[in-house]
Amino acid sequence: SSGINAEWPLRPGASLRYKVLEPILLLGKKRFEGVDIRIRCRGGGTVARIYAIRQALSKSLVAYYQKFIDETSKKEIKDILLNYDKNLLVADPRRCEPKKFGGPGARAKYQKSYR
C-alpha cells in the first residue's frame, strides 16, 4: 500500500506501476508529506498516460519546493530526478510528422519507373 489510491489509467503490470511510483521511490515519501497532488490525464495511449503522470508528479513537486520551500532543496530534488531520467522533468517534443503528397508516408516517395 503506497498511499496512492486513485483510478489507474489501466490495470498495469508491476513494471508500469513502478514507472508511476519512480519519483516517490527516488525522493522518498518524506518529501511528499503535506503535499496533495491530483493529476488528471486525457488523450494518448495507456503507456503515454503513465509517462505523463510520472512527469506531472515530478514537475509539481519541484514547483512546490520552489514556491513554498527553499531553493537549495528544490535544486537537490531536481538533480536527483535529472540524474535518474531526464524525461521526469523534460517533455519529449517528438511528434508524428504529417503525410505529404507523392508518397505513402511523410518522407517515402512512390517508386518511379523510366519505362
Side-chain angles (χ1 to χ4, degrees):
S1 70
S2 61
I4 294 181
N5 42 0
E7 189 67 31
W8 286 88
L10 75 164
R11 298 275 159 242
S15 59
L16 283 178
R17 179 161 284 181
Y18 277 108
K19 276 284 173 203
V20 174
L21 298 177
E22 269 175 2
I24 299 165
L25 296 172
L26 279 171
L27 302 170
K29 287 183 184 177
K30 197 96 177 124
R31 286 201 171 104
F32 283 87
E33 279 178 2
V35 184
D36 184 27
I37 301 172
R38 290 162 197 228
I39 299 169
R40 295 168 83 192
C41 207
R42 288 168 49 191
T46 48
V47 174
R49 281 185 175 195
I50 282 185
Y51 273 81
I53 290 168
R54 79 199 266 266
Q55 188 180 59
L57 197 59
S58 305
K59 281 179 150 183
S60 62
L61 192 75
V62 170
Y64 173 80
Y65 268 74
Q66 183 174 12
K67 191 169 183 181
F68 298 109
I69 301 170
D70 58 337
E71 189 71 27
T72 53
S73 53
K74 173 227 147 182
K75 181 101 175 80
E76 187 181 310
I77 288 173
K78 203 170 176 180
D79 288 342
I80 291 169
L81 293 171
L82 285 175
N83 283 336
Y84 180 74
D85 185 4
K86 192 179 174 193
N87 288 331
L88 282 169
L89 293 175
V90 182
D92 190 355
R94 293 177 293 183
R95 297 291 177 264
C96 191
E97 191 176 339
K99 181 197 175 299
K100 284 90 173 181
F101 57 86
R107 297 286 174 106
K109 296 292 163 242
Y110 294 128
Q111 197 168 359
K112 112 183 178 190
S113 74
Y114 290 100
R115 277 172 206 264

